[in-house]
Amino acid sequence: MRLLHTSDWHIGRSLHGADLLREQEEVLSGLADVVVAEAVDVVVVAGDVYDRAVPSADATGVLDRVVGRLLRAGAAVVLTPGNHDSARRLGTFSGLLSAAGLHVRATTAGLDEPVLLRDEHGEVAVYGLPYLEPEIARHELGLPGARSHEAVLTEAMERVRRDLFLRPGARAVVLAHAFVGGGVPSDSERDICVGGVDLVPAPVFDGVDYVALGHLHRPQTITERLRYSGSPLAYSFGEAGQAKQVWLVDLDATGLADVRALALPTPRPLTVLTGTLDELLADPAHAGVEEHFVSARLTDAVRPPDPMRQLQTRFPHCVHLEWTGGAGGGDGRSYQERLRGRSDLEVAGEFVTHVRNGVGMSDAERELLVRALGAAAREELAR
């Protein structure tokens, strides 16, 4: 049996306010071509199907069209909710949808009820674990003392293994949405790990043939049978230049036989440009990225007037702007480092100069600011 492991579609997500629905539908619809070309039997989506719990009508329309193409291409589809999804909404009409080949596993109570598929070697049990929020799942699982993802996922996998024990000879695949130890995060994921308490050790998932992980947006291998496919598109400029992919997973008569990566297209790449405004607007070296999503880091000593409008005359998809120039800027130091050892008056004076495009305070304004800072200091001491 051949599976296509995907995750973190995040349908409806935007990039600094720029709508990504067109790019998302283009990439996800292309998975139907992969299904046909590679004779894929089942496509799995390991959580974060949507970007928000209440998706827009446009986002649900994209999912409807994409899944329809996958089903018509000949693959079954199994998906589970992630921490961005509403499990109850995603699971609506799941019983009816399964008749068409779309299997939604969205309930904690049903996490040990697999989607049962067959090939020439026998049965394949696909278990979908919805994202298990510990504060909720611990009660649903009958573990009132459990406070971490490790605890609730340990119980979930125990239930999976108990069910699998009753299916001798069946091969097993698990979909899970979690932060597994050894994984490398990107800056576009919503944090589900606080102080390491929700980091899940890889051995929790022992006992099955393949674990299709979701949550981390960078494709990566934890072990040969435990992998993240990553998101199909880059969702932050920290992922600029990152190759996106899916995993093609083959199961033979004895279990996992082969896993290989398939690259995904990039409809509109992300590019970070650094330089003065004049340099970015005039440098011919940037001609090849004019249609990219652009994040501009301006190094001008004085913040230029209306820089975004000017940048968008050349880079119409410039969606993010950061000014790193000015006093103490552009030297690689953090904001806190640049403020260290400076008085409140100096910091406030630099702010005024910044917002006035290089025009500093008058003597009268400086005197007024000195009095205001003094009054604030006396009030603080009186508390």
Side-chain angles (χ1 to χ4, degrees):
M1 182 168 292
R2 177 164 285 179
L3 299 92
L4 193 66
H5 169 195
T6 78
S7 72
D8 296 273
W9 289 6
H10 286 281
I11 299 174
R13 186 146 189 170
S14 61
L15 180 69
H16 295 282
D19 190 343
L20 295 177
L21 279 174
R22 185 191 69 79
E23 288 81 6
Q24 289 176 323
E25 184 162 6
E26 180 179 339
V27 172
L28 296 174
S29 294
L31 296 178
D33 297 329
V34 176
V35 168
V36 173
E38 300 289 347
V40 172
D41 298 295
V42 56
V43 176
V44 302
V45 189
D48 283 353
V49 179
Y50 292 116
D51 191 56
R52 60 188 63 182
V54 185
S56 68
D58 288 338
T60 58
V62 169
L63 180 64
D64 180 49
R65 291 189 292 274
V66 167
V67 170
R69 291 186 180 101
L70 294 173
L71 296 176
R72 288 192 295 274
V77 178
V78 182
L79 57 84
T80 57
N83 56 299
H84 280 249
D85 298 305
S86 164
R88 293 184 65 181
R89 285 189 174 86
L90 199 62
T92 303
F93 303 125
S94 57
L96 293 174
L97 294 172
S98 64
L102 171 59
H103 306 277
V104 182
R105 288 297 185 261
T107 67
T108 304
L111 59 79
D112 57 353
E113 299 171 8
V115 177
L116 296 175
L117 306 169
R118 296 192 68 87
D119 63 8
E120 66 271 25
H121 304 299
E123 197 169 65
V124 176
V126 181
Y127 297 89
L129 309 185
Y131 170 67
L132 299 175
E133 171 59 49
E135 282 301 308
I136 299 172
R138 66 193 181 98
H139 298 292
E140 296 174 327
L141 293 170
L143 299 172
R147 298 287 181 177
S148 68
H149 279 134
E150 179 182 356
V152 294
L153 277 170
T154 296
E155 172 61 21
M157 284 302 300
E158 283 296 325
R159 296 187 181 193
V160 165
R161 284 186 284 265
R162 285 198 295 268
D163 180 82
L164 189 59
F165 178 77
L166 301 176
R167 304 179 188 277
R171 292 146 294 161
V173 174
V174 168
L175 283 63
H177 198 82
F179 190 174
V180 176
V184 179
S186 301
D187 57 5
S188 60
E189 299 122 5
R190 181 179 297 165
D191 189 16
I192 59 174
C193 180
V194 179
V197 69
D198 288 331
L199 199 66
V200 180
V204 166
F205 296 99
D206 284 350
V208 297
D209 296 289
Y210 185 77
V211 182
L213 292 172
H215 179 57
L216 299 185
H217 291 181
R218 183 192 306 270
Q220 51 200 291
T221 300
I222 306 301
T223 70
E224 284 303 304
R225 61 173 191 84
L226 192 68
R227 299 170 185 254
Y228 285 99
S229 65
S231 59
L233 279 78
Y235 290 127
S236 72
F237 282 99
E239 298 170 61
Q242 186 181 107
K244 294 299 183 179
Q245 64 164 66
V246 290
W247 293 112
L248 198 64
V249 181
D250 286 326
L251 301 176
D252 62 13
T254 60
L256 184 63
D258 185 47
V259 184
R260 59 187 172 96
L262 292 179
L264 293 177
T266 304
R268 194 183 302 282
L270 276 61
T271 297
V272 179
L273 298 177
T274 301
T276 67
L277 179 61
D278 288 342
E279 289 169 348
L280 298 189
L281 293 175
D283 192 340
H286 302 318
V289 303
E290 289 176 351
E291 293 302 317
H292 290 197
F293 284 120
V294 168
S295 172
R297 301 179 73 246
L298 298 183
T299 59
D300 301 76
V302 176
R303 183 183 178 93
D306 201 7
M308 181 63 85
R309 182 188 60 79
Q310 296 188 66
L311 284 165
Q312 288 177 342
T313 62
R314 182 179 187 186
F315 307 102
H317 303 286
C318 182
V319 296
H320 178 251
L321 175 67
E322 179 184 0
W323 179 56
T324 62
D331 58 2
R333 293 184 299 158
S334 69
Y335 179 70
Q336 291 82 359
E337 288 171 333
R338 295 200 301 270
L339 293 185
R340 189 172 295 129
R342 305 177 68 192
S343 68
D344 291 342
L345 181 60
E346 289 172 325
V347 173
E350 181 182 320
F351 172 75
V352 172
T353 301
H354 161 60
V355 298
R356 289 178 172 176
N357 290 321
V359 179
M361 290 186 292
S362 66
D363 291 341
E365 289 171 331
R366 183 176 295 276
E367 177 60 29
L368 181 62
L369 181 58
V370 168
R371 292 203 301 270
L373 291 171
R378 290 192 292 275
E379 183 178 341
E380 183 67 25
L381 288 173
R383 289 180 180 177

